[in-house]
Amino acid sequence: MKFKLPDALKADVPATPWGKILTATPVVMTVIATALAGLASSEMTRAQYARSVAAQRQSKAGDQWGFFQAKRLRSALQRSTLDVLQANGPLPAAEPVQLPEVPAATTPDPVKTALAAVESSQSDADIAPVITRLNFQSLEAALVAAKERTRNFDSLLQPLVKQHEALPATREGIAARLRFSAARYDAEARLNQQVAYLYELQVRSRNFAAGRQDRRRPRLVYGMEASQTAGVLA
């Protein structure tokens, strides 16, 4: 809708460049105020979305920590059972369990630095400069790669799992199965831990982004109010 001054007001406006500026100022200030209001609303929406994503990632991180704890507990249970078996009679010396080599991680250096900060339980103030330099795409790519490593390791383990399940139910066979299971669960727990840390990194990244947007929004609101005031005065 085109802005038009009433005829009564036009008569009071001098026909000079300054008068033309005063006539156009309310229109310009209204446009600026509308744009700033839209930006302020957008920042609030983006902050809410970032926090929603952070909550989803936190839930998934909790699942991975649950897997980590369950596998560590299973490992401890295997070792406890092995101790009981040894207490009932000596077992022959066993060679170290040989597991498939875990595929190497291809995590970018910035993500590695941020992961090290998260793993060392640094405060938000200390970790903020590191995380704010990351982008969500690089974090998502690192997470996908970590999950792929977990799946590949599980595929490599399957032949060994079947091999140990087929061992005879003798003391030596049971001991070998327990040793293998304990080592297997420890390795799988470390992989789940890595995935959990990456989810935690995404949570912090999204929360920091929401914080930045929350800090921007008041400035945009103040700019909108100033534009409205300038239009009224003009």
Side-chain angles (χ1 to χ4, degrees):
M1 181 177 179
K2 186 176 180 181
F3 182 82
K4 184 178 180 181
L5 283 175
D7 294 337
L9 291 179
K10 284 184 179 180
D12 296 333
V13 178
T16 62
W18 179 244
K20 293 179 180 180
I21 292 174
L22 287 178
T23 302
T25 297
V27 180
V28 174
M29 289 297 103
T30 300
V31 172
I32 293 175
T34 303
L36 291 175
L39 289 173
S41 176
S42 173
E43 290 296 322
M44 180 180 66
T45 302
R46 290 171 64 187
Q48 291 174 342
Y49 172 76
R51 288 195 170 90
S52 175
V53 173
Q56 293 173 1
R57 294 296 189 270
Q58 187 64 68
S59 175
K60 293 183 178 180
D63 292 340
Q64 292 298 321
W65 285 120
F67 292 146
F68 167 77
Q69 292 173 350
K71 289 176 181 179
R72 289 301 297 268
L73 287 173
R74 286 186 178 184
S75 173
L77 180 61
Q78 306 300 312
R79 298 183 191 281
S80 297
T81 306
L82 184 60
D83 290 339
V84 172
L85 191 64
Q86 289 177 329
N88 291 331
L91 293 172
E95 296 181 358
V97 178
Q98 298 293 328
L99 293 177
E101 184 177 355
V102 180
T106 56
T107 309
D109 289 338
V111 177
K112 285 182 181 178
T113 303
L115 276 175
V118 171
E119 291 173 6
S120 59
S121 301
Q122 294 185 17
S123 64
D124 287 347
D126 294 333
I127 202 175
V130 179
I131 293 183
T132 51
R133 291 197 296 267
L134 300 175
N135 59 69
F136 196 73
Q137 288 75 19
S138 63
L139 291 176
E140 189 67 22
L143 180 61
V144 170
K147 289 181 177 180
E148 186 65 23
R149 290 176 67 218
T150 302
R151 286 192 292 268
N152 290 340
F153 184 67
D154 184 65
S155 298
L156 293 173
L157 276 178
Q158 291 309 309
L160 289 175
V161 171
K162 293 179 180 179
Q163 177 184 338
H164 283 80
E165 287 177 349
L167 290 175
T170 60
R171 285 172 53 84
E172 291 75 12
I174 294 173
R177 191 183 309 132
L178 291 172
R179 292 190 185 96
F180 168 77
S181 297
R184 166 199 172 188
Y185 287 133
D186 283 339
E188 290 178 345
R190 286 191 294 270
L191 292 173
N192 288 122
Q193 184 183 38
Q194 189 72 9
V195 174
Y197 275 132
L198 284 167
Y199 273 126
E200 295 284 355
L201 198 53
Q202 287 188 343
V203 170
R204 294 203 183 193
S205 176
R206 285 296 186 173
N207 282 333
F208 284 141
R212 287 196 304 270
Q213 287 149 359
D214 284 340
R215 290 190 293 271
R216 286 195 204 109
R217 184 171 175 270
R219 293 196 290 268
L220 293 171
V221 172
Y222 296 150
M224 176 192 69
E225 293 173 350
S227 299
Q228 291 173 338
T229 301
V232 172
L233 292 176

